[in-house]
Amino acid sequence: MDDEYEKFIRRMNPPRVVIDNESCKNATVDSANKYGILLEVVQVLTDLNLIITKAYITSDGGWFMDVFNVTDHDGNKITDAEILSYIQKSLGPDSWFATSMRRSVGLTSETDHTSIELIGSDRPGLLSEVSAVLTHLKCNVVNAEVWTHNTRAAAVMQVTDELTGGAITDPEKLGMVKRLLCNVLKGSNKSREAKTAVSHGGTHTERRLHQMMLADRDYERMGDDSFDDKERPSVNVINWNDKDYSVVTIRCKDRPKLLFDVLCTLTDMQYVVFHGSVDAEGPEAYQEYCVRHVDGSPLKSDAERQRVIQCLEAAIQRRVSEGLKLELCTTDRVGLLSDVTRIFRENSLTVTRAEVATRAGKAVNTFYVRDASGHPVDPKIIDYIRQTIGRTILRVKGSPQEMNKVPQESPTRFLFGGLFKSRSFCNFSLIRSDS
């Protein structure tokens, strides 16, 4: 019944998407407001690998309006008619979002693959052990995303049954996959839980990784912190008592999907963004938001404020890729991921993040690796690994640079200053409900 009511409201107040490629590089989205809609819009843009350089966000009287300045990765305007049409269809009147907010961790069987969600204690060689188990069980990894943060590791892996080329349908085999992977994830760490379970429905991989790691409390400080003070994002939260808002300000080194990562956490923590401004045109990204809890209140205690700060720091750091970037491109086969990660492990390299994809029979994989003992990666080891795997198959793409901190400013200064300055860049207006 609730879904039917939401559909009725959406038909009565359809969202409108305006793309202006003449005066400036921006897209404007306005519609009836609903919880989570801002994240849904940003998710569509980031899934297209578009770069959001500026954003202005406001919601009032049941309506919301967002203005996004977007480019491709080379800084050019988006002129591809197919992409522009997709944006309008995805965000316009005919769209219907059914974003999954599932909290369970497990296996999702679909027609062409089975999605495996894993979370447990991180350690050198973990990805190698997981992929070795899947290979032993005659499962092929066709797509995967692996994140590590604060001694924890999470993965969403899409696998197929080697015998059928499709999803794993044998209940006994599914049970074996869960049991063996859970044993690998537990390792010798008895104090933190490892999870594998069965669930149903589609999933957005990066969205799920944020949900899984937040639920796992990866934001709590444990052991050695991989980020020192100069590298940690600057996150501040104050209450703006005159307006009953809490003002969240973030400044850190810019990177793709930073806005998506921040909004995932604010949404999952049940906060609503009423007004905001984002500037990522330089090497540093600046974000400021006026937020309230879904119950309409600003942050109520210092403990809540500290938790929001910790969770936002974690959301930003999860995707920060420490180490050397290696790209592998070759013909896909069963056991490829297991073989490659075994070579990494045997040469004392640990994977801090991985993206595994299969396109038209080709494996296109990206690994971020570092020395398992914490030392800089030895170029001789990388050269040996490339020689073993194939120099044309495995290529070195470099390592991330150090983040530079910038001076603090007033928490509200950028938000309103940015709104006024934006008029010289593109038009900004507010759509209100007649009611």
Side-chain angles (χ1 to χ4, degrees), residues 3 51 80 101 128 236 239 250 252 299 340-341 367 375-376 399:
D3 285 348
I51 303 298
D80 188 317
M101 297 296 288
S128 173
N236 191 31
N239 276 354
I250 301 168
C252 62
L299 276 67
V340 171
T341 53
F367 303 97
H375 298 119
S399 59

Side-chain angles (χ1 to χ4, degrees), residues 133-357:
V133 167
L134 292 172
T135 300
H136 175 71
L137 294 173
K138 298 188 181 302
C139 300
N140 186 39
V141 180
V142 292
N143 294 289
E145 186 99 8
V146 181
W147 290 0
T148 63
H149 177 246
N150 199 18
T151 76
R152 302 297 284 172
V156 176
M157 312 179 90
Q158 297 176 353
V159 304
T160 57
D161 191 322
E162 181 184 354
L163 300 178
T164 64
I168 304 171
T169 56
D170 182 355
E172 185 176 342
K173 186 169 185 176
L174 283 174
M176 180 72 73
V177 168
K178 290 190 300 176
R179 186 166 60 255
L180 293 182
L181 288 179
C182 194
N183 289 338
V184 169
L185 289 167
K186 285 180 180 177
S188 60
N189 189 337
K190 306 301 181 182
S191 61
R192 296 295 299 274
E193 187 180 5
K195 296 179 183 178
T196 59
V198 175
S199 59
H200 302 283
T203 183
H204 182 276
T205 299
E206 295 166 335
R207 184 82 175 89
R208 279 299 295 149
L209 286 168
H210 276 299
Q211 291 176 333
M212 290 159 61
M213 298 196 91
L214 179 66
D216 190 60
R217 303 173 73 89
D218 73 319
Y219 53 87
E220 294 180 340
R221 305 270 183 253
M222 295 177 196
D224 294 332
D225 195 343
S226 58
F227 282 80
D228 59 29
D229 288 338
K230 70 177 182 179
E231 293 177 320
R232 182 170 289 118
S234 174
V235 182
N236 191 31
V237 181
I238 65 167
N239 276 354
W240 189 6
N241 295 322
D242 291 346
K243 301 293 183 181
D244 271 344
Y245 290 124
S246 292
V247 180
V248 179
T249 62
I250 301 168
R251 45 176 83 236
C252 62
K253 183 178 179 180
D254 187 36
R255 59 167 174 74
K257 302 189 179 182
L258 177 64
L259 178 58
F260 172 79
D261 295 338
V262 169
L263 293 178
C264 275
T265 295
L266 287 174
T267 302
D268 286 340
M269 295 184 74
Q270 304 288 297
Y271 292 102
V272 179
V273 176
F274 285 85
H275 304 283
S277 186
V278 175
D279 188 340
E281 289 191 308
E284 297 284 336
Y286 306 85
Q287 300 182 20
E288 292 196 4
Y289 306 101
C290 289
V291 305
R292 293 182 185 137
H293 197 266
V294 289
D295 64 8
S297 66
L299 276 67
K300 299 176 182 178
S301 66
D302 187 62
E304 183 181 7
R305 187 180 73 86
Q306 290 299 326
R307 183 170 180 266
V308 169
I309 290 173
Q310 286 183 341
C311 290
L312 289 174
E313 287 179 352
I316 294 167
Q317 292 170 355
R318 285 174 199 140
R319 202 194 289 268
V320 173
S321 305
E322 295 180 84
L324 199 67
K325 181 179 180 181
L326 303 176
E327 288 187 354
L328 180 143
C329 184
T330 189
T331 302
D332 187 42
R333 61 175 173 79
V334 176
L336 175 64
L337 181 62
S338 176
D339 290 342
V340 171
T341 53
R342 174 181 52 79
I343 293 171
F344 291 163
R345 185 191 73 223
E346 290 174 349
N347 286 276
S348 299
L349 296 184
T350 184
V351 178
T352 60
R353 189 162 76 87
E355 299 172 14
V356 176

Side-chain angles (χ1 to χ4, degrees), residues 1-13:
M1 188 66 186
D2 289 341
D3 285 348
E4 291 302 317
Y5 178 73
E6 285 195 32
K7 291 178 183 178
F8 172 74
I9 294 298
R10 195 174 182 87
R11 285 194 297 268
M12 295 299 293
N13 301 283

Side-chain angles (χ1 to χ4, degrees), residues 52 60 87 103 142 148 164 201 214 233 268 305 409 425 431:
I52 300 173
D60 195 8
I87 292 173
R103 298 289 178 175
V142 292
T148 63
T164 64
L214 179 66
D268 286 340
R305 187 180 73 86
E409 291 184 11
F425 187 81
I431 306 296

Side-chain angles (χ1 to χ4, degrees), residues 39-51:
L39 175 58
E40 292 169 351
V41 171
V42 171
Q43 181 173 302
V44 168
L45 297 176
T46 55
D47 283 350
L48 290 169
N49 289 320
L50 302 181
I51 303 298

Side-chain angles (χ1 to χ4, degrees), residues 87-115:
I87 292 173
Q88 290 186 313
K89 289 179 179 179
S90 298
L91 302 178
D94 297 331
S95 66
W96 173 248
F97 294 100
T99 303
S100 172
M101 297 296 288
R102 295 182 298 111
R103 298 289 178 175
S104 60
V105 181
L107 292 160
T108 303
S109 291
E110 300 181 4
T111 56
D112 59 344
H113 67 263
T114 297
S115 292

